[in-house]
Amino acid sequence: MKDLGKLHYIPGLSVVQDEKNGCEWLNQRQYVQTMLVKFGMTECKAVATPSDVNVKLQKDNGVSTQVDRSLYQSLVGSLLYATMGTTPDIAYTVGAISKYCDQPNTAHFTATKRILRYLKGTVDLSLKFEKVPGDVITGYSDADFAGDLDDGKSTSGTIFIHSSRSSCKLD
């Protein structure tokens, strides 16, 4: 084992350390850009949300045709990996599309490509960690963006709060 210096890259994650301000930035810019190239979405138009609230997926809608299962599964797997890094905001949508890996159709594939379009628009965002007095980490994610069509409330999301002597704050 040898010391390679300051951490700057974890597979799929870039780490930028700002010693002057005592903070670190995590992003998946390179990973997302690689996905966009791999799946032919480099020229796609970005969207503001990872899913369309007006689209409800089902196994067979009677209109859509089957798509290449291995391509669909590869895309879903890539998105699942992205969710574990710096994009917890796509967790709900990726979970929803992953249910159709056995027999994906064009509607499922379109919904999956929308997530890539969302990631293209957020590729320059990073998570910022910095030391603050009180040592508290707090994070929120409204993962389905008011998905209940009846009352406009969210049905899924994430909140985490951690407090210890050596933790950092998430911006």
Side-chain angles (χ1 to χ4, degrees), residues 19-37:
E19 292 181 24
K20 179 182 174 187
N21 296 317
C23 62
E24 296 177 352
W25 300 84
L26 297 178
N27 71 65
Q28 290 181 290
R29 181 178 300 114
Q30 182 179 355
Y31 183 75
V32 170
Q33 289 172 338
T34 301
M35 274 196 305
L36 292 169
V37 169

Side-chain angles (χ1 to χ4, degrees), residues 61-80:
N61 62 8
V63 178
S64 299
T65 59
Q66 297 292 317
V67 297
D68 181 2
R69 182 173 26 178
S70 63
L71 176 65
Y72 184 82
Q73 290 172 344
S74 177
L75 178 51
V76 170
S78 297
L79 291 169
L80 282 167

Side-chain angles (χ1 to χ4, degrees), residues 29-118:
R29 181 178 300 114
Q30 182 179 355
Y31 183 75
V32 170
Q33 289 172 338
T34 301
M35 274 196 305
L36 292 169
V37 169
K38 180 179 179 180
F39 297 106
M41 300 284 291
T42 55
E43 300 300 318
C44 69
K45 183 178 178 183
V47 293
T49 60
S51 65
D52 184 348
V53 295
N54 298 316
V55 174
K56 298 297 178 190
L57 297 175
Q58 54 191 40
K59 270 189 169 183
D60 182 16
N61 62 8
V63 178
S64 299
T65 59
Q66 297 292 317
V67 297
D68 181 2
R69 182 173 26 178
S70 63
L71 176 65
Y72 184 82
Q73 290 172 344
S74 177
L75 178 51
V76 170
S78 297
L79 291 169
L80 282 167
Y81 188 78
T83 337
M84 302 307 292
T86 61
T87 57
D89 50 335
I90 64 171
Y92 177 82
T93 308
V94 173
I97 57 140
S98 68
K99 296 188 297 188
Y100 305 104
C101 281
D102 186 42
Q103 294 182 341
N105 62 38
T106 52
H108 305 140
F109 198 63
T110 300
T112 304
K113 289 193 305 186
R114 181 184 174 98
I115 301 169
L116 281 178
R117 292 174 60 205
Y118 171 74

